[in-house]
Amino acid sequence: MLTLTMQKLQPFLPTLTAAQTTRAEAWLPVLALRLNARYGDRITVENESAFVSAAADAIMTRLSRPGGQIDSQTVGPANVRYNARAALLKWFYPEQLDDLDAIVGVGNVRSVRTPAPDGIRFGNRMRRADMFPPEEDF
């Protein structure tokens, strides 16, 4: 089980203000809960520093966001609204989780799309021989 404290995180964090330290200390139980729920007993003494580093990255990501997550965003003619409840538990980027999964040996499973055989892929297309009438000998 991973137990996160500010003393463990200090080597991975820059100098924080008092307000930032208070917020980070409040987030530590949530981060520990999330990491323990996902990885459990796979977190060992040998790989604990990777998880502490990931927690420090998550805290710095949260602290760098001014005012939390964006509620909506307009890109050209499109408007995207984000669900605030879903954003609450989004602590880690997928790439970070992939790295942690690789460290403990539970991840890196990729789905690869393989093409169908040629008869299936090209069977519904018009063949060149079907486009022209057969030639007649004179």
Side-chain angles (χ1 to χ4, degrees):
M1 294 289 283
L2 178 67
T3 305
L4 293 174
T5 61
M6 287 305 289
Q7 289 78 23
K8 287 184 181 178
L9 290 171
Q10 283 301 36
F12 301 102
L13 291 174
T15 304
L16 301 176
T17 65
Q20 290 175 329
T21 303
T22 303
R23 290 175 69 193
E25 286 175 347
W27 292 332
L28 290 180
V30 176
L31 281 169
L33 181 67
R34 298 275 300 162
L35 289 170
N36 285 325
R38 184 174 176 105
Y39 299 105
D41 59 352
R42 290 188 175 99
I43 301 173
T44 62
V45 175
E46 291 82 22
N47 63 16
E48 184 182 47
S49 61
F51 291 94
V52 174
S53 174
D57 289 344
I59 286 174
M60 288 310 301
T61 302
R62 286 285 173 142
L63 288 174
S64 67
R65 290 186 198 142
Q69 292 235 353
I70 301 170
D71 290 332
S72 66
Q73 182 178 10
T74 303
V75 180
N79 186 14
V80 179
R81 290 193 165 271
Y82 300 102
N83 185 349
R85 291 183 65 207
L88 246 176
L89 298 177
K90 301 286 183 184
W91 285 92
F92 301 99
Y93 293 118
E95 298 85 18
Q96 290 172 316
L97 292 177
D98 284 343
D99 289 343
L100 293 175
D101 289 349
I103 288 170
V104 297
V106 297
N108 293 349
V109 176
R110 304 271 187 235
S111 62
V112 179
R113 184 175 178 193
T114 58
D118 286 345
I120 295 172
R121 286 194 307 169
F122 302 115
N124 60 351
R125 293 185 181 173
M126 184 180 292
R127 295 182 302 169
R128 183 167 175 80
D130 295 335
M131 293 172 45
F132 302 104
E135 294 182 12
E136 297 177 16
D137 287 337
F138 294 105

